Amino acid sequence: MLRKVIMSKGKYYLSTAIAYTSGKPHIGNVYEIVLADAICRYKRQTGYDVYFQTGTDEHGQKIEDSAKKAGLSPKEYVDKIAAIVKEQYDCMNVTYDKFVRTTDEYHVKQIQKIFRKLYEQGDIYKSEYEGMYCKACEAFYSNSQLVDGKCPECGADVYPTKEEAYFFKMSKYADRLIKHIEDNPHFIQPESRKNEMLNNFLRPGLKDLCVSRSTFKWGVPVDFDKDHVVYVWIDALANYITGIGYDVDGNHGEMFKKYWPADVHLIGKDILRFHTIYWPIILMALEVELPKQIFGHPWLLVGDSKMSKSKGNVIYADDLSKLFGVDAVRYIMLHEMPFGHDGTITYELMIERINSDLANVLGNLVNRTISMSNKYFDGVVHNSLSLEEIDAEIIDLAIKTPEIVEKCMNELRVADAIASIFTLAKRCNKYIDETTPWILGKDESKHERLKVVLYNLLEAIRIIGVLLEPFIPETSRKILDNINTKQRDYESILKFGQLEIGIKVKEKPEILFTRLDSDEIMAKLEEETKEELKEEPKKEPKKVTKVEIKKEVVEVKKEKKSTFVPFGTITIDDFSRVKLVVGKVVSCEKHADAENLLISKVDIGKGEIRQIVSGIASNYTAGQMIGKKVVVVTNLKNAVIRGTESQGMLLAGEHDGLIEVVTINSLPAGTVIK
């Protein structure tokens, strides 16, 4: 199967959403680019002709206002911000083929031609818009769409706007788009995103879309109506075709002829509607083939909250890479993002992940294997080919791992692909404990057996090194350099035993990752935060009346008491019998005998650690639980679940198969919930 993929090389075009040039992108924005880079690196590695495009969205009222505030022209302002965006991508070792900008001359020319074509064929008409406008999102909303009177997307203030504008007749193409989605089940992924678009937007009926603005000037001018500029939905979205040479008149560049349609548009779930409804309809109107797939990835959260400057939880990629190293940050980004729901990172989780996975599992495996090769055989690779039964399992897993990775990557399950590689690394460490090379080395008569053991380890490490290239490329290179192998291409790992006999491993292996002192790192971060706060004016502490858990907001209203109790009325005495305590997950692992169970060690304050078994593995990996602050029922009678004692219960909810653990942001471990 893998051999067939290698032989059937073809084109692969992946694009990301383009970053809005309103400021420096945080790690949640950069995550998308690193995810795209991992996918594209893997496709290149397995034989595809890859084109990877990203860039910046540089027009709009918000940019015009920001430039004026900065004392710059809009073009000077976006030039500055675009350079900052590129720096954030480049610092993460991202290998994009083109960085497109919506101020590029070719793009501007084609947008004007696209707008004119749509107008002349009757898809666009002039009218007047009146409604609520969010400057942060540059989007219009009806009153019914607002949430508590604010923008439903970002929560910012909106204000009434009335202006002349051009509109696109969305409903003209709605039925055709519905049919396309139904006929192509993989067009919108994951599956839940497809159902959301169909049921919430398309089937209820589409309203005509505002596609020009007349209250500001910073945008692509409508060439037949100078009072208007082309709005973002046409301007920004069309970068996916203009960036590779699309021409309205049919004089397409060679890149467009070669790579379109895109294989994947990789975008955040918050802009899914624009990419899965507006963009396909625009393409239909232009008679351009639709992209093969639009993948709406979830958010990378900090402490279970979407990153924003107002929340004070913004983290930048360049700062993290300086603190932890580029590959460590790439690993954390990619590993901690599950397929179907948001991923969470904290500094504590990052430190734990670096120490446990990168330093202990991977780094220790490579270091001690290389060291034993030098100690017992002067670094020379031998193999007596005398295999025993105990060797079969590690060899079989090493052969199967590329197949597992391929299946995961074909479904864009990047976190699962990485996890499968580390499963092989963990099995190698177990193999060392099983075969005890240090004991074999003491007995001259067992050196032939020792050669086999070390060869199996070195070959498995080589396979791991090659497989890690798309995800942590510098670490991959270091691993293969430590072994001194020339067998580094993907085809070489499809059969076990390709590591060269007679080569010498490095005499002093390069350390891949060093263990971090959590207290030292946290103290350093705290000191940096204090320095930053010195420059900021003091604010009165804000009284918290809302507890945000993922997207659900529960408002505490003291003056109004609900009398509705879904499971029968209880008294305060009944409720007080349940002791709910905030706990912090300090470690977590999958249950050895139950696929759906995770075993968490939870700190519930005052040094007390509880072991809790939970049936949440279908929605969480062990790594995603580490660092979470959870709510624990601490006075529940201990139970034995599949042979493992559980000393409490985590609060969680389930809806349509989606399980979410109740999490807490600010309260420390040990806090009693009353």
Side-chain angles (χ1 to χ4, degrees), residues 120-147:
E120 290 178 347
Q121 66 188 31
D123 288 315
I124 288 177
Y125 64 93
K126 183 189 280 190
S127 186
E128 191 175 73
Y129 184 86
E130 185 171 7
M132 307 306 291
Y133 179 68
C134 172
K135 187 183 292 186
C137 293
E138 298 215 21
F140 294 102
Y141 299 100
S142 64
N143 285 317
S144 63
Q145 291 176 305
L146 302 180
V147 177

Side-chain angles (χ1 to χ4, degrees), residues 650-665:
L650 304 185
L651 291 193
E654 181 178 3
H655 178 70
D656 289 341
L658 176 66
I659 298 173
E660 285 198 4
V661 175
V662 175
T663 54
I664 299 294
N665 288 333

Side-chain angles (χ1 to χ4, degrees), residues 438-454:
W438 55 91
I439 295 177
L440 297 175
K442 294 177 182 179
D443 187 341
E444 188 73 30
S445 67
K446 294 185 179 178
H447 275 204
E448 289 303 305
R449 173 61 187 155
L450 180 57
K451 289 176 183 178
V452 176
V453 169
L454 291 178

